[in-house]
């Protein structure tokens, strides 16, 4: 049996607040979002998909044609709470897309193979 994933104290604090039905501290939420985005970027390097979690961050990831100007052809956008849920496996990619919590466009925009982190 594998050991459960241990997230940083910041991510865990935000998850604990969300589990308790509390609104996480906005600075902790920002840091947790950015940390998980950076983790995705390091695990799935590339520049063909832009992942946006406004207002806290955006990254490019996934191998493929590099995007350099204008609106990227492959975009994933979601809110901070949903990003934390899918990045940590508390909600599936498909559930979040189906309920409209994730907006994904482009042929490479399905990140389900890379999540949870």
């Amino acid at each position: 049996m594998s050991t459960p994933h241990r997230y940083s104290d910041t991510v865990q604090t935000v998850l604990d607040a969300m589990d308790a039905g509390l609104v996480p501290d906005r600075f902790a939420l920002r840091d947790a979002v950015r940390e998980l985005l950076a983790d995705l970027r390091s695990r799935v390097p590339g520049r063909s998909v832009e992942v946006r979690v406004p207002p806290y961050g955006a990254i490019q990831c996934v191998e493929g044609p590099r995007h350099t100007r204008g609106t990227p052809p492959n975009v994933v956008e979601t809110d901070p709470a949903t990003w934390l849920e899918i990045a940590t496996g508390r909600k599936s990619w498909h559930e979040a897309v189906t309920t409209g919590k994730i907006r994904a466009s482009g042929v490479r925009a399905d990140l389900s193979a890379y999540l949870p982190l």
Side-chain angles (χ1 to χ4, degrees):
M1 185 161 108
S2 63
T3 58
H5 190 288
R6 174 69 182 134
Y7 296 102
S8 74
D9 289 343
T10 302
V11 172
Q12 195 59 55
T13 298
V14 171
L15 292 173
D16 291 345
M18 291 170 60
D19 287 346
L22 303 173
V23 175
D25 173 78
R26 69 184 182 125
F27 297 112
L29 181 60
R30 176 199 64 198
D31 293 346
V33 165
R34 290 179 179 174
E35 179 180 323
L36 292 171
L37 284 171
D39 191 10
L40 178 64
R41 182 177 50 218
S42 70
R43 290 178 189 222
V44 189
R47 298 186 60 116
S48 69
V49 177
E50 185 164 292
V51 180
R52 301 173 181 168
V53 185
Y56 298 127
I59 62 158
Q60 290 184 350
C61 61
V62 182
E63 298 250 347
R66 182 176 176 204
H67 168 74
T68 56
R69 296 178 56 161
T71 301
N74 301 288
V75 176
V76 172
E77 187 167 334
T78 191
D79 63 274
T82 301
W83 170 245
L84 285 166
E85 290 173 332
I86 63 167
T88 60
R90 290 165 179 246
K91 181 179 281 188
S92 77
W93 170 266
H94 297 292
E95 179 184 356
V97 169
T98 301
T99 59
K101 293 291 192 171
I102 293 177
R103 291 160 302 287
S105 63
V107 296
R108 297 178 185 273
D110 183 345
L111 300 179
S112 61
Y114 314 114
L115 297 170
L117 300 172

